[in-house]
Amino acid sequence: MAPAAAQDAAPEGTTIIVSPPLTEKERKEELREFTKEIVQPPRMRHPVAKFFYPICPQVLGLAADEAKAIAERIRENARALGVGANTDPACLPTLKVAFMAPTAGPSQSWLSAESKQLAHLAIYERQRVLAESGPVRAWNRVAVRDFNGQRIEVGQMIRIEPYGRNDPIVTTEITGAAVLIARQAAEGFTFAQLADYITMRTLIGTGAPSNEAGVPARTILTLFDEPDPPAEMTSFDRALVAELYNASRNSAPRRIYNDIARAAVESERIARAEPEAPKP
């Protein structure tokens, strides 16, 4: 039954249904499914791809001080989340970001199936990039390796070594990541918001969640879709990246999804238990 105040505020003839809050088990399942929606699905028997070595970001298309601020924030995120970041100013960029000027045209014209930037991608990966809408295009370069870490080339036979029945026999390494962002669409956002969004699009292969029915957890991935997006990476975002990079290189995707949901629910429980800061 709705509270009296709610009944008084509702128009005559309106029925208000108050649903009980989700149990912790139900919330975990909800966040698990949400994780599966935004993390790009790996191939069958492949783990979720991630960087194996510290990243080296490069930001183009902005004033030098602005580009430096965003790159440094990405490095800070990578270090805090267990990925690591190369501090050598002359390091070879493995994470490239380009803010596209209006003269580059609308985002749907930036790339095509014949674009050299996408030549290394499998057909289904290329289609996924080209199907993205909005002011951003992002993709990762992934290397498949055998159980011992040796790179597997296309058509090469895999030598099977002993492994757990529940985990893949290969690992998938992100060797490079790229993000294109329309510069006009980025106006009005803070460097922290932009850097955190880029972090989420590159350290894991992710896509923007569908928010037609609302999203079950706040995430910086909705930066270009929400009228009031988060000011930085959320607790869910941090759980998403940290749990992937804390797992073994060949952990099964379902195990990763479960760990992310568990960590996210735990962070929500802690946040609820913390006393509110006194108002000034």
Side-chain angles (χ1 to χ4, degrees):
M1 186 175 181
Q7 290 179 339
D8 293 341
E12 185 177 352
T14 300
T15 301
I16 298 177
I17 300 176
V18 179
S19 301
L22 296 178
T23 65
E24 191 165 295
K25 181 179 179 181
E26 291 170 335
R27 179 58 174 163
K28 181 179 176 181
E29 180 59 26
E30 181 180 49
L31 292 181
R32 182 181 183 277
E33 292 304 307
F34 184 49
T35 299
K36 290 173 64 178
E37 176 191 339
I38 60 179
V39 174
Q40 294 172 354
R43 287 185 175 183
M44 185 180 297
R45 295 293 293 161
H46 285 193
V48 179
K50 60 182 177 179
F51 281 98
F52 288 0
Y53 302 100
I55 56 101
C56 175
Q58 180 185 47
V59 179
L60 306 171
L62 297 176
D65 58 336
E66 296 175 341
K68 182 179 180 180
I70 291 175
E72 186 52 40
R73 172 82 176 198
I74 295 170
R75 283 192 173 93
E76 291 173 2
N77 288 337
R79 286 192 288 263
L81 295 169
V83 185
N86 194 325
T87 57
D88 183 354
C91 62
L92 180 67
T94 55
L95 192 161
K96 296 183 178 182
V97 184
F99 286 86
M100 309 293 284
T103 53
S107 56
Q108 60 267 29
S109 69
W110 294 343
L111 301 164
S112 70
E114 290 73 39
S115 294
K116 292 182 179 179
Q117 301 98 310
L118 307 181
H120 64 282
L121 298 179
I123 293 177
Y124 80 95
E125 293 171 322
R126 206 175 305 164
Q127 292 173 339
R128 188 160 57 195
V129 175
L130 297 176
E132 186 168 1
S133 59
V136 179
R137 298 293 182 272
W139 63 92
N140 294 334
R141 179 188 292 270
V142 175
V144 181
R145 303 187 185 279
D146 66 16
F147 188 80
N148 296 313
Q150 298 299 311
R151 185 162 184 159
I152 300 171
E153 303 299 338
V154 177
Q156 179 182 339
M157 294 295 291
I158 303 174
R159 184 164 61 90
I160 299 177
E161 300 284 351
Y163 65 95
R165 263 186 280 176
N166 295 324
D167 289 324
I169 62 173
V170 299
T171 61
T172 47
E173 175 193 0
I174 299 177
T175 59
V179 182
L180 309 180
I181 302 175
R183 197 160 63 199
Q184 285 180 307
E187 293 177 1
F189 294 121
T190 67
F191 294 152
Q193 285 177 307
L194 293 169
D196 288 7
Y197 176 87
I198 293 163
T199 297
M200 290 294 294
R201 292 302 307 265
T202 55
L203 298 188
I204 303 179
T206 58
S210 170
N211 62 352
E212 292 180 359
V215 293
R218 292 270 284 171
T219 170
I220 196 68
L221 289 171
T222 61
L223 183 65
F224 296 99
D225 300 312
E226 276 192 26
D228 182 28
E232 61 183 3
M233 290 176 71
T234 66
S235 59
F236 173 78
D237 295 329
R238 295 184 180 279
L240 187 67
V241 180
E243 288 301 318
L244 172 62
Y245 280 87
N246 187 50
S248 65
R249 292 183 177 182
N250 68 320
S251 287
R254 58 182 177 77
R255 184 176 299 183
I256 296 293
Y257 301 148
N258 283 333
D259 288 346
I260 291 169
R262 173 194 49 74
V265 168
E266 176 66 19
S267 67
E268 290 179 345
R269 186 192 309 122
I270 293 172
R272 288 195 300 270
E274 291 177 347
E276 291 187 11
K279 295 182 179 180

